[in-house]
Amino acid sequence: MRKLQAAVLLGMLAALVGFGMAGCGGGSGDGGGGSPATNLNVTGFWENPLNGATAAGNLAQTNGNVTGALLLPPAGNGQLIGTVNGYHMDFTMAWDSGSSESGSGDFSFVDTGVDKLIFTGSLPSVGPFVISWRGPSFEEHNPAGAPLSYTPPAPTW
């Protein structure tokens, strides 16, 4: 009887280990993330007027993953984690206040004389917003150190 109980326990343990290992695999070995358009590189400093203030922050892209810190008025500062597929990004904002929320949007190339690459997104706490790539870093952004001004007050692309 003890041999039968031991065999049943070993069989159950083997089944559990097998299920656990089956759940650990998967993926293509590329680190996950999305598949951005081949000409899309969003790494740099982003800025634009938003809700009567200035939205600004840095984003970094590694393959299809985007991370960064953004100030998005009126919600405040937060950490962005996103996945890019083509020109579309789904992202989560983890606000410094402790809450988090999901959003999405699209990157697009424009030529307005100032803006070349923009992100048009939306978050429940902020609403729709547009931020523009300004350069590789805050220190090297254009216009350097100057608050942005637009007529009308916010871009309408």
Side-chain angles (χ1 to χ4, degrees):
M1 185 67 160
R2 286 190 171 256
K3 287 183 182 181
L4 180 59
Q5 288 175 335
V8 169
L9 285 173
L10 283 174
M12 290 173 60
L13 181 60
L16 286 174
V17 169
F19 286 129
M21 291 182 75
C24 292
S28 60
D30 64 356
S35 180
T38 56
N39 60 343
L40 183 64
N41 181 359
V42 306
T43 298
F45 181 73
W46 293 76
E47 184 178 48
N48 248 3
L50 177 63
N51 297 321
T54 300
N58 289 297
L59 297 178
Q61 177 183 335
T62 304
N63 300 319
N65 299 311
V66 175
T67 58
L70 288 178
L71 166 64
L72 293 174
N77 291 303
Q79 298 296 312
L80 177 140
I81 298 173
T83 302
V84 178
N85 285 303
Y87 293 98
H88 181 80
M89 181 169 71
D90 292 314
F91 63 95
T92 299
M93 282 295 293
W95 300 107
D96 290 352
S97 65
S99 63
S100 64
E101 61 186 317
S102 296
S104 66
D106 297 296
F107 294 96
S108 57
F109 291 97
V110 296
D111 189 0
T112 65
V114 175
D115 296 313
K116 302 284 188 251
L117 176 62
I118 64 171
F119 178 73
T120 305
S122 183
L123 281 165
S125 66
V126 175
F129 65 93
V130 176
I131 54 176
S132 302
W133 190 86
R134 293 288 179 229
S137 67
F138 175 78
E139 293 77 18
E140 301 174 72
H141 82 279
N142 182 20
L148 302 177
S149 61
Y150 290 88
T151 305
T156 56
W157 299 293

